[in-house]
Amino acid sequence: MNAIYLEKGHAIGKDANILNEDVSLPALVLYQDKIANNIQWMKNFSEKYAVQLAPHAKTTMTPKILTAQLAAGAWGMTVANPVQAQSALNAGCQNILMANQLVGKANMSIIADMLEHHDIQFYCVVDSVANVRALDQFFTERSLTLNVLIEIGADHGRCGCRTEEHVKSVVQALNTSTSLRLSGVEFYEGVIHGDDEITQVRNFIHWVVKIFKSDFFQSSIHSENPILTGAGSAWYDIVCEVFQEADLHPSVRRIIRPGCYVIHDMGIYEDAQAQVMLRNMHCQASDTALQSAMELWAYVLSIPEPGVAIVGFGKRDVAFDAGLPTPLTYYHAGDKAPITIESGTCVVKDIMDQHAFMTFSVDLQVGDMISFGTSHPCLTFDKWREIAVIDSSFNIIDRYKTYF
């Protein structure tokens, strides 16, 4: 007998519909029109500041979404490791920016193979003399040239040079290398926290730009279009504003790297985007906004106590690091449409591996379906190998595969 293995959210038949119970729940679903809206919104925003987009692929690791972002004019894709770089390449990406250090022979080999067999531009970051020497030895032996960006980091943050002297030592090592080509600067401001974060973020980016524009750095760059790149999903507007203020040479390629905008959420990035909308004049003038494009659907499995429902999803299905899912609608079989859940009438209190504990004060029954909004889309996407795409009538119109 041939074994049959099903993915979560398995659909029965060709014309499956969520409300008709044609889909095995729990199921993660995406709204195609909202994804398209979000891609266009960020494209419009980036054009206001004459910056280019390299969205972070780690958010979705979904070729059909990466392809849509590229088709909408993204310069390239950002990745975190060589395996993700291969997925970006498979999606047709020709400019791949790995916002991380390339360490280890197996990882270097993946990139070397890509460079040998494909006409692409690949960039990784360096922040140490040791890494420069290891990369130079490996890529010299392979007779390849590797583009690198100096990473400059914030105090108490992640990777990156912390002082100008540190940057100079890495630049000097690059100047004596055989196979490495200094192509610009990369930074990430999203690790900055504390009092008056906006001022801290601005000051950090101004400091990075000062180093980038310095004579010692510019004299070591080997690129007609040196790259200056930063920005996650929270401070991209501030990054763009500082770039605009910096009087950069027209040849500089200014790149921002937000990732979560394409899906958005109903948690930390909804909050972050609300702050962007308050402080940025271009956002205030826009007649559109980012929309949460993802929902989790699940059944009420049990009502073991009055006002307490056990819902059929858990930590295996949804992110829980940045807030628990938000109940959005509930649906009784046979109703015309799902009913909107008013704030506070249904609240997820806790989740286990496969169960969620939800208090409620609406007319719920065992077997009802509930849709949930989520926070931090990256850590929901990576729990699904296939995701249903639906239209406004809850019909399944496509299935997207993920490759984490």
Side-chain angles (χ1 to χ4, degrees), residues 93-111:
C93 186
Q94 294 183 313
N95 296 308
I96 302 172
L97 197 165
M98 193 176 96
N100 216 341
Q101 285 68 19
L102 180 59
V103 176
K105 289 184 178 180
N107 287 327
M108 294 179 194
S109 183
I110 292 171
I111 299 304

mmCIF file of all heavy atoms in Angstrom, residues 93-111:
data_model
loop_
_atom_site.group_PDB
_atom_site.id
_atom_site.type_symbol
_atom_site.label_atom_id
_atom_site.label_comp_id
_atom_site.label_asym_id
_atom_site.label_seq_id
_atom_site.Cartn_x
_atom_site.Cartn_y
_atom_site.Cartn_z
ATOM 1 N N CYS A 93 15.441 35.584 -8.531
ATOM 2 C CA CYS A 93 16.119 36.773 -8.028
ATOM 3 C C CYS A 93 17.563 36.822 -8.540
ATOM 4 O O CYS A 93 18.304 35.840 -8.414
ATOM 5 C CB CYS A 93 16.109 36.774 -6.503
ATOM 6 S SG CYS A 93 16.775 38.277 -5.785
ATOM 7 N N GLN A 94 17.964 37.980 -9.061
ATOM 8 C CA GLN A 94 19.319 38.148 -9.581
ATOM 9 C C GLN A 94 20.208 38.965 -8.660
ATOM 10 O O GLN A 94 21.431 38.946 -8.810
ATOM 11 C CB GLN A 94 19.273 38.799 -10.967
ATOM 12 C CG GLN A 94 18.617 37.918 -12.028
ATOM 13 C CD GLN A 94 18.653 38.548 -13.397
ATOM 14 O OE1 GLN A 94 18.334 39.731 -13.555
ATOM 15 N NE2 GLN A 94 19.041 37.780 -14.394
ATOM 16 N N ASN A 95 19.626 39.689 -7.725
ATOM 17 C CA ASN A 95 20.387 40.446 -6.723
ATOM 18 C C ASN A 95 20.019 39.913 -5.344
ATOM 19 O O ASN A 95 18.882 40.098 -4.893
ATOM 20 C CB ASN A 95 20.072 41.936 -6.813
ATOM 21 C CG ASN A 95 20.498 42.546 -8.129
ATOM 22 O OD1 ASN A 95 21.641 42.399 -8.549
ATOM 23 N ND2 ASN A 95 19.576 43.220 -8.803
ATOM 24 N N ILE A 96 20.957 39.262 -4.699
ATOM 25 C CA ILE A 96 20.695 38.615 -3.412
ATOM 26 C C ILE A 96 21.627 39.211 -2.363
ATOM 27 O O ILE A 96 22.846 39.186 -2.509
ATOM 28 C CB ILE A 96 20.896 37.096 -3.505
ATOM 29 C CG1 ILE A 96 19.977 36.506 -4.581
ATOM 30 C CG2 ILE A 96 20.644 36.431 -2.157
ATOM 31 C CD1 ILE A 96 20.238 35.044 -4.882
ATOM 32 N N LEU A 97 21.015 39.750 -1.310
ATOM 33 C CA LEU A 97 21.762 40.399 -0.244
ATOM 34 C C LEU A 97 21.591 39.575 1.029
ATOM 35 O O LEU A 97 20.502 39.523 1.592
ATOM 36 C CB LEU A 97 21.246 41.823 -0.053
ATOM 37 C CG LEU A 97 22.101 42.826 0.711
ATOM 38 C CD1 LEU A 97 21.591 44.242 0.459
ATOM 39 C CD2 LEU A 97 22.115 42.558 2.212
ATOM 40 N N MET A 98 22.660 38.914 1.435
ATOM 41 C CA MET A 98 22.603 38.131 2.671
ATOM 42 C C MET A 98 23.034 39.040 3.818
ATOM 43 O O MET A 98 24.214 39.343 3.971
ATOM 44 C CB MET A 98 23.505 36.897 2.585
ATOM 45 C CG MET A 98 23.232 35.886 3.704
ATOM 46 S SD MET A 98 24.196 34.369 3.544
ATOM 47 C CE MET A 98 25.567 34.761 4.631
ATOM 48 N N ALA A 99 22.072 39.483 4.609
ATOM 49 C CA ALA A 99 22.348 40.427 5.694
ATOM 50 C C ALA A 99 22.872 39.674 6.908
ATOM 51 O O ALA A 99 22.328 39.766 8.011
ATOM 52 C CB ALA A 99 21.092 41.220 6.031
ATOM 53 N N ASN A 100 23.928 38.947 6.662
ATOM 54 C CA ASN A 100 24.520 38.113 7.705
ATOM 55 C C ASN A 100 25.924 37.724 7.257
ATOM 56 O O ASN A 100 26.272 37.823 6.075
ATOM 57 C CB ASN A 100 23.672 36.855 7.944
ATOM 58 C CG ASN A 100 23.641 36.445 9.403
ATOM 59 O OD1 ASN A 100 24.492 36.858 10.195
ATOM 60 N ND2 ASN A 100 22.673 35.633 9.772
ATOM 61 N N GLN A 101 26.717 37.251 8.205
ATOM 62 C CA GLN A 101 28.063 36.808 7.904
ATOM 63 C C GLN A 101 28.027 35.433 7.225
ATOM 64 O O GLN A 101 27.203 34.579 7.591
ATOM 65 C CB GLN A 101 28.900 36.729 9.185
ATOM 66 C CG GLN A 101 29.346 38.080 9.730
ATOM 67 C CD GLN A 101 28.217 38.934 10.263
ATOM 68 O OE1 GLN A 101 27.130 38.451 10.571
ATOM 69 N NE2 GLN A 101 28.457 40.229 10.381
ATOM 70 N N LEU A 102 28.898 35.222 6.260
ATOM 71 C CA LEU A 102 29.031 33.929 5.586
ATOM 72 C C LEU A 102 30.191 33.192 6.243
ATOM 73 O O LEU A 102 31.356 33.520 6.016
ATOM 74 C CB LEU A 102 29.282 34.150 4.089
ATOM 75 C CG LEU A 102 29.456 32.904 3.227
ATOM 76 C CD1 LEU A 102 28.237 31.989 3.301
ATOM 77 C CD2 LEU A 102 29.737 33.302 1.771
ATOM 78 N N VAL A 103 29.856 32.212 7.068
ATOM 79 C CA VAL A 103 30.855 31.518 7.882
ATOM 80 C C VAL A 103 30.715 30.012 7.666
ATOM 81 O O VAL A 103 29.595 29.480 7.653
ATOM 82 C CB VAL A 103 30.680 31.854 9.379
ATOM 83 C CG1 VAL A 103 31.650 31.053 10.237
ATOM 84 C CG2 VAL A 103 30.877 33.354 9.614
ATOM 85 N N GLY A 104 31.842 29.322 7.501
ATOM 86 C CA GLY A 104 31.828 27.868 7.378
ATOM 87 C C GLY A 104 31.947 27.421 5.928
ATOM 88 O O GLY A 104 31.338 27.995 5.025
ATOM 89 N N LYS A 105 32.730 26.363 5.700
ATOM 90 C CA LYS A 105 33.026 25.937 4.335
ATOM 91 C C LYS A 105 31.798 25.450 3.586
ATOM 92 O O LYS A 105 31.660 25.695 2.382
ATOM 93 C CB LYS A 105 34.104 24.855 4.354
ATOM 94 C CG LYS A 105 35.477 25.381 4.734
ATOM 95 C CD LYS A 105 36.548 24.290 4.642
ATOM 96 C CE LYS A 105 37.926 24.855 4.980
ATOM 97 N NZ LYS A 105 38.975 23.808 4.902
ATOM 98 N N ALA A 106 30.893 24.749 4.252
ATOM 99 C CA ALA A 106 29.696 24.269 3.555
ATOM 100 C C ALA A 106 28.843 25.443 3.094
ATOM 101 O O ALA A 106 28.324 25.455 1.964
ATOM 102 C CB ALA A 106 28.890 23.334 4.459
ATOM 103 N N ASN A 107 28.694 26.444 3.951
ATOM 104 C CA ASN A 107 27.928 27.631 3.575
ATOM 105 C C ASN A 107 28.605 28.389 2.434
ATOM 106 O O ASN A 107 27.945 28.846 1.490
ATOM 107 C CB ASN A 107 27.755 28.549 4.780
ATOM 108 C CG ASN A 107 26.770 27.992 5.796
ATOM 109 O OD1 ASN A 107 25.818 27.326 5.442
ATOM 110 N ND2 ASN A 107 27.010 28.278 7.063
ATOM 111 N N MET A 108 29.923 28.521 2.513
ATOM 112 C CA MET A 108 30.654 29.190 1.439
ATOM 113 C C MET A 108 30.518 28.425 0.134
ATOM 114 O O MET A 108 30.389 29.021 -0.949
ATOM 115 C CB MET A 108 32.130 29.325 1.827
ATOM 116 C CG MET A 108 32.385 30.244 3.006
ATOM 117 S SD MET A 108 34.164 30.308 3.403
ATOM 118 C CE MET A 108 34.121 31.065 5.036
ATOM 119 N N SER A 109 30.512 27.117 0.225
ATOM 120 C CA SER A 109 30.415 26.286 -0.978
ATOM 121 C C SER A 109 29.075 26.471 -1.682
ATOM 122 O O SER A 109 29.011 26.503 -2.921
ATOM 123 C CB SER A 109 30.618 24.814 -0.616
ATOM 124 O OG SER A 109 30.587 23.997 -1.763
ATOM 125 N N ILE A 110 27.994 26.594 -0.907
ATOM 126 C CA ILE A 110 26.676 26.825 -1.519
ATOM 127 C C ILE A 110 26.693 28.109 -2.341
ATOM 128 O O ILE A 110 26.217 28.148 -3.485
ATOM 129 C CB ILE A 110 25.589 26.899 -0.429
ATOM 130 C CG1 ILE A 110 25.393 25.529 0.236
ATOM 131 C CG2 ILE A 110 24.262 27.389 -1.021
ATOM 132 C CD1 ILE A 110 24.495 25.573 1.463
ATOM 133 N N ILE A 111 27.273 29.165 -1.768
ATOM 134 C CA ILE A 111 27.326 30.444 -2.478
ATOM 135 C C ILE A 111 28.269 30.363 -3.671
ATOM 136 O O ILE A 111 27.958 30.879 -4.764
ATOM 137 C CB ILE A 111 27.757 31.575 -1.522
ATOM 138 C CG1 ILE A 111 26.742 31.721 -0.376
ATOM 139 C CG2 ILE A 111 27.930 32.873 -2.279
ATOM 140 C CD1 ILE A 111 25.316 31.954 -0.815
#
